[in-house]
Amino acid sequence: MLNYQRYRGFPIFRYPKRSWTEREIEKAPIWCSVDLRDGNQALVEPMSVEEKLEFFQLLVRLGFREIEVGFPAASQIEYDYLRNLIERKQIPEDVTVQVLVQCREELLDRTFESLVGLDKAIVHIYNSTSVLQRDVVFDKSREEIKEIALRGVEMVKRHEKDFSGKVRLEYSPESFTGTEMDYALEICNAVIEAWDVRPGREIIINLPSTVEMHSPNVYADQIEFMSRNLKRRDSVILSIHPHNDRGEGVAAAELALLAGAQRVEGTLFGNGERTGNVDILTLAYNMFSQGIDPKLNLENIREIQEVYERCTKMSIPPRHPYAGKLVFTAFSGSHQDAINKGLRAMRERKGTIWEVPYLPIDPADIGREYEPVVRINSQSGKGGVAFILEDRFGYRLPKGMQREFADYIQKISEEQGEVSPEQIFEVFRIEYLESREPIEFRNVRSTDIENADGSYTTFADVTYRNAGRLHEFSGSGNGPIAAVLSGLNKELSMQGKVLDYSEHALNAGSDSKAVSYIHLLDEESGRSSYGVGVSSNITRSSIRALFAAVNRLFYPEEAEESGRRRVKEAEEKKA
């Protein structure tokens, strides 16, 4: 049994004056990528200088205008990387790089040395303020910990005087979520005063959930409390840096934005220490799905994923939101049916607003248009199979035929697992389109004669093959299908009756073909089956469908063998 008695909840900060519960996200925040520092330090094999350069260029293309490039005082590689960016003029004018540094003189010396040549930079200082770290790591009082932060501010100010560019200070009370809120406010306000914050000299106050300790609503209360009580608030950019220890980083960030946060620090795909940082891509795509411009260029998730995986040597889980291999895939039959109907409704209604069940966004909008949305396995139903035939191959099966055809695919999937769209269509061709034995329609001549009551009777003369030999018969009825069926009933001594008929164009344009579906009943046995026919002539497609239905209903073994042979011959001819 889990020894839950070893643990206790950290005291919850309660803020009854909260108003974030009544708000909604209306615009994107300032985004700051920390992939090249917080994400990079968490890699088993940190990125090389060239890999970091490629990653930096990706972030610039995506539209990040604030990018934390590393901890230049921590190692020679980090220092060389920043110098490489500056000396090779890789930093666009509208991009501000951010560097992290502890509040120590020798580290700040090295950091400002690495910034030479820049016209602007964000210098990010931090020190841990939590109850636990004050006790077991630093053994210092609240006043002593505050003094560390203030000394850091004074050191940055001294270096600022000799720096040719503009410095924006960022301060983080690390382990903010484990800090008493009155003390977090006290130390942040002291930093604001020490930096002499005013319009034109703004400061970034960054409030990290270095360890996610509560449910997201508590983090939102903490953020709103700070937002309401920080001094010189109009000149403070309130930033958040959520981690994901409880798996709630995205939710915590979204609620924090409601609570007054203006800026988000995070990483692509949530890479970072332990369970990672907040995933900026998920946050941005969530906004996009609600009709909000995320202010990032995220149209090609494939490119983002490819560069990320190659440079970090990390892989994206198949169920990762938006980027995962399976996130736009449905195996459940009911889900597949709903997706199919939703997409059809979008087409028929010419809708401009995306509304499809189970698909919060159009996969095509983020570069996923070439993937099948529905995949078929033993858990799939008729809706999924029908969707594949319509979406990939253009055949809109009648409802009854969907059930009939799905049975064939169900048997295959139970034996082998997932069934590919190509395999589904091959079975469809064998069972329906190439079902031409023992009888095969060849030609028809039809004439319409007007009756005394104004109705018409169709007379049809049909040429067909039976077991390879040519035959002819005649028939009459109230249309071409009825006329041909009456002749077939006499010719083959059967009792066939059409239960249903439908047709549609297989593709657009003047050279489009018609596809016809006929549901045929054997009145003697009570059995029924479908046939499908395709032709550039609607009458010929309907008669081909009728012949296919006769073969499948009265001669099923010969029809299946005929289909397999014809498909094989066609493939050999292509090869």
Side-chain angles (χ1 to χ4, degrees):
M1 181 177 178
L2 284 172
N3 189 11
Y4 62 87
Q5 291 95 341
R6 291 190 66 200
Y7 303 94
R8 63 179 179 181
F10 191 83
I12 291 178
F13 174 72
R14 302 184 188 280
Y15 190 54
K17 295 181 181 179
R18 72 181 66 87
S19 61
W20 61 262
T21 56
E22 305 303 317
R23 300 176 191 156
E24 59 184 78
I25 295 173
E26 297 178 341
K27 64 178 182 179
I30 300 166
W31 301 111
C32 177
S33 162
V34 294
D35 290 87
L36 297 172
R37 190 271 301 174
D38 210 13
N40 185 51
Q41 74 181 18
L43 298 175
V44 175
E45 182 184 340
M47 287 182 270
S48 67
V49 169
E50 287 304 316
E51 286 170 335
K52 289 186 74 172
L53 177 59
E54 181 180 6
F55 208 106
F56 178 83
Q57 291 168 338
L58 170 67
L59 295 171
V60 170
R61 289 198 303 276
L62 295 181
F64 285 95
R65 292 298 171 259
E66 294 184 5
I67 301 173
E68 190 168 83
V69 292
F71 201 139
S75 71
Q76 191 64 42
I77 290 177
E78 295 283 282
Y79 182 93
D80 289 345
Y81 168 62
L82 179 52
R83 294 309 308 160
N84 191 298
L85 284 178
I86 296 170
E87 291 166 8
R88 291 170 60 178
K89 302 187 184 304
Q90 295 294 309
I91 304 171
E93 289 185 5
D94 60 346
V95 171
T96 303
V97 297
Q98 176 173 305
V99 290
L100 185 71
V101 59
Q102 292 169 314
C103 301
R104 288 161 51 187
E105 186 69 58
E106 71 277 11
L107 298 181
L108 277 161
D109 288 345
R110 183 72 164 159
T111 298
F112 273 88
E113 181 183 313
S114 74
L115 297 173
V116 171
L118 288 176
D119 61 356
K120 59 183 179 299
I122 297 171
V123 177
H124 182 185
I125 63 172
Y126 70 98
N127 65 310
S128 188
T129 60
S130 70
V131 175
L132 183 61
Q133 294 221 36
R134 294 198 316 262
D135 178 27
V136 304
V137 178
F138 301 106
D139 190 24
K140 290 184 181 295
S141 67
R142 287 170 48 149
E143 196 60 35
E144 289 172 314
I145 291 293
K146 182 171 72 173
E147 186 57 33
I148 292 173
L150 294 178
R151 281 203 307 270
V153 174
E154 291 306 315
M155 285 186 280
V156 174
K157 289 172 71 173
R158 287 201 301 272
H159 284 87
E160 179 189 24
K161 294 176 183 177
D162 298 323
F163 181 62
S164 60
K166 180 179 180 181
V167 172
R168 173 166 289 174
L169 180 67
E170 174 173 346
Y171 173 70
S172 290
E174 192 197 358
S175 303
F176 164 76
T177 47
T179 304
E180 311 94 316
M181 284 302 102
D182 66 318
Y183 179 53
L185 181 63
E186 177 186 333
I187 197 169
C188 287
N189 276 335
V191 167
I192 288 169
E193 294 281 8
W195 186 246
D196 190 21
V197 171
R198 59 184 183 276
R201 188 174 172 78
E202 290 82 5
I203 191 172
I204 299 169
I205 294 294
N206 185 55
L207 304 177
S209 60
T210 310
V211 177
E212 194 176 25
M213 304 173 74
H214 295 112
S215 52
N217 60 296
V218 177
Y219 188 49
D221 279 353
Q222 293 171 326
I223 297 301
E224 183 162 352
F225 169 78
M226 295 292 288
S227 179
R228 287 190 177 199
N229 293 285
L230 285 170
K231 292 183 177 180
R232 311 184 190 185
R233 183 65 180 87
D234 290 345
S235 297
V236 173
I237 299 166
L238 185 56
S239 177
I240 56 172
H241 185 117
H243 277 249
N244 199 42
D245 301 86
R246 294 165 54 100
E248 299 170 326
V250 168
E254 290 182 332
L255 297 192
L257 290 173
L258 298 179
Q262 301 155 286
R263 181 178 184 268
V264 175
E265 292 188 348
T267 58
L268 304 184
F269 303 110
N271 185 33
E273 292 279 20
R274 306 183 312 279
T275 55
N277 295 68
V278 69
D279 180 358
I280 282 183
L281 292 176
T282 298
L283 276 173
Y285 283 129
N286 284 354
M287 293 178 189
F288 168 72
S289 73
Q290 301 301 303
I292 299 169
D293 182 358
K295 302 297 183 182
L296 291 172
N297 305 316
L298 305 177
E299 295 86 354
N300 191 346
I301 191 69
R302 286 296 186 212
E303 181 202 8
I304 302 170
Q305 183 174 350
E306 190 277 325
V307 174
Y308 170 84
E309 291 187 328
R310 179 161 41 78
C311 290
T312 66
K313 285 72 171 182
M314 302 277 282
S315 59
I316 307 300
R319 298 292 183 188
H320 188 287
Y322 303 102
K325 184 178 181 181
L326 298 177
V327 297
F328 295 118
T329 300
F331 288 104
S332 162
S334 61
H335 287 207
Q336 293 170 349
D337 183 57
I339 290 171
N340 188 14
K341 290 174 179 174
L343 291 172
R344 182 179 299 166
M346 285 281 295
R347 287 193 296 267
E348 292 174 352
R349 298 171 185 176
K350 296 180 173 57
T352 57
I353 301 298
W354 179 260
E355 292 180 309
V356 175
Y358 301 112
L359 291 179
I361 66 169
D362 183 350
D365 285 337
I366 62 171
R368 300 283 299 266
E369 64 266 42
Y370 298 113
E371 294 185 51
V373 174
V374 173
R375 291 167 67 170
I376 305 302
N377 65 12
S378 61
Q379 303 301 303
S380 305
K382 62 182 177 62
V385 176
F387 174 84
I388 291 292
L389 281 177
E390 180 175 351
D391 185 65
R392 295 290 293 273
F393 304 105
Y395 291 86
R396 298 200 295 269
L397 274 55
K399 283 188 177 181
M401 187 179 175
Q402 291 178 18
R403 288 188 290 270
E404 180 181 284
F405 180 57
D407 288 342
Y408 291 98
I409 306 304
Q410 177 75 12
K411 291 176 183 177
I412 296 172
S413 65
E414 287 174 352
E415 294 176 1
Q416 71 177 44
E418 187 176 342
V419 185
S420 70
E422 291 73 22
Q423 191 174 5
I424 289 171
F425 186 64
E426 181 183 24
V427 174
F428 181 69
R429 287 176 64 194
I430 289 171
E431 294 294 337
Y432 296 94
L433 296 180
E434 302 296 344
S435 176
R436 301 185 189 180
E437 289 188 9
I439 63 170
E440 179 184 7
F441 167 67
R442 300 301 299 169
N443 198 9
V444 64
R445 297 183 302 278
S446 62
T447 305
D448 292 332
I449 303 297
E450 185 174 6
N451 302 315
D453 61 358
S455 63
Y456 286 85
T457 298
T458 299
F459 294 89
D461 297 312
V462 178
T463 302
Y464 75 105
R465 289 184 186 275
N466 190 336
R469 297 180 61 184
L470 281 174
H471 296 267
E472 291 185 355
F473 67 81
S474 299
S476 62
N478 61 1
I481 297 174
V484 174
L485 179 58
S486 71
L488 271 174
N489 280 334
K490 293 176 184 178
E491 180 79 359
L492 302 177
S493 300
M494 64 183 200
Q495 297 180 40
K497 178 183 178 182
V498 173
L499 295 177
D500 187 38
Y501 169 78
S502 61
E503 64 187 45
H504 64 81
L506 192 56
N507 44 44
S510 58
D511 60 344
S512 65
K513 292 185 177 181
V515 56
S516 299
Y517 309 90
I518 283 183
H519 191 195
L520 189 66
L521 171 70
D522 177 7
E523 292 187 293
E524 185 175 356
S525 68
R527 294 182 298 107
S528 66
S529 191
Y530 280 85
V532 182
V534 177
S535 174
S536 56
N537 179 284
I538 188 62
T539 299
R540 292 181 66 84
S541 76
S542 62
I543 296 174
R544 283 179 176 172
L546 179 60
F547 270 72
V550 170
N551 282 329
R552 299 190 70 258
L553 182 58
F554 294 97
Y555 313 99
E557 292 182 2
E558 294 97 319
E560 182 178 355
E561 179 58 32
S562 165
R564 291 186 184 281
R565 189 177 68 252
R566 287 179 177 275
V567 167
K568 184 178 180 181
E569 290 172 353
E571 289 174 349
E572 289 175 348
K573 189 175 181 180
K574 281 184 180 179

